[in-house]
Amino acid sequence: MTRALALALPLFVSCFIGSCQKGPDDALTLSTHVYRILGEDTLRLDLRQPARPRADCAGLVFIHGGGFQGGRRDAPVASQFLDSLAKVGIASASISYRLSMAGRGFGCDVPTEDKRNAVAIAGADALAALNWLESSALLASHSTGWVVAGSSAGAETALWSAYVDAPDRWKGVVSYSGALDAATQPLLS
């Protein structure tokens, strides 16, 4: 990935702050879409499209936390954050992903390889969401790309997707309380 995290966050924040000149009544459209079906798993994303999209800012794909065993794409705090971005012209999508650690936990007793696998599975889902967003007719006018962000397990997923799975596909990455395993070898281009 040619863009470093240290550059992505200030760029995204500057787009956000620069767009705060818009009024608070700016409307947004919220819609839910299936972006992937794998066996019994139907994965959805909540797409927030601003009434007046900014042409100079990438959209944001947000991945919720929950230890790869819980959490929701429509959690109130994340929804409020994403609504505020849409109101100032920034599109966003909050995604669900496969919770491969459900019923097992993510504690110290879980083997490291199982944890790595959980991150990789969620990362594959993040990439599938990006593929859906890039090919969606709903977003034909959105051509500035997407930044991936997440909290906790979602942050680990965002880092994995941006540095391991698809470093050339994301415009940036924002990690809220997440890290990569020290043994992970990022694919830097």
Side-chain angles (χ1 to χ4, degrees):
M1 173 181 285
T2 58
R3 293 153 217 84
L5 175 62
L7 296 175
L9 184 57
L11 176 64
F12 192 73
V13 170
S14 70
C15 284
F16 178 73
I17 291 171
S19 65
C20 286
Q21 299 166 356
K22 294 186 178 190
D25 342 329
D26 287 323
L28 65 99
T29 301
L30 173 62
S31 55
T32 301
H33 306 273
V34 172
Y35 74 87
R36 188 176 205 187
I37 299 174
L38 290 167
E40 295 182 16
D41 293 314
T42 300
L43 304 179
R44 293 178 172 80
L45 60 80
D46 293 336
L47 178 62
R48 287 167 173 80
Q49 297 182 82
R52 292 184 282 176
R54 289 186 52 117
D56 60 340
C57 285
L60 180 78
V61 174
F62 186 79
I63 307 167
H64 67 80
F68 301 98
Q69 60 185 326
R72 298 175 48 114
R73 72 179 186 281
D74 59 353
V77 172
S79 294
Q80 290 169 0
F81 169 65
L82 298 174
D83 287 349
S84 69
L85 291 179
K87 289 178 182 177
V88 295
I90 300 172
S92 69
S94 55
I95 70 168
S96 60
Y97 56 93
R98 289 173 286 168
L99 303 174
S100 60
M101 300 307 285
R104 293 191 57 206
F106 205 72
C108 295
D109 58 329
V110 175
T112 302
E113 197 54 41
D114 291 355
K115 292 178 179 182
R116 289 181 183 142
N117 190 48
V119 176
I121 288 169
D125 294 341
L127 189 55
L130 177 63
N131 290 337
W132 186 92
L133 289 164
E134 290 178 339
S135 67
S136 174
L138 293 170
L139 296 160
S141 64
H142 186 80
S143 61
T144 53
W146 296 89
V147 170
V148 63
S151 64
S152 193
E156 293 178 25
T157 301
L159 290 167
W160 179 271
S161 187
Y163 286 106
V164 178
D165 271 351
D168 294 332
R169 299 280 308 279
W170 298 101
K171 294 293 182 184
V173 58
V174 180
S175 170
Y176 298 107
S177 190
L180 281 176
D181 181 316
T184 301
Q185 297 296 312
L187 299 174
L188 300 176
S189 56

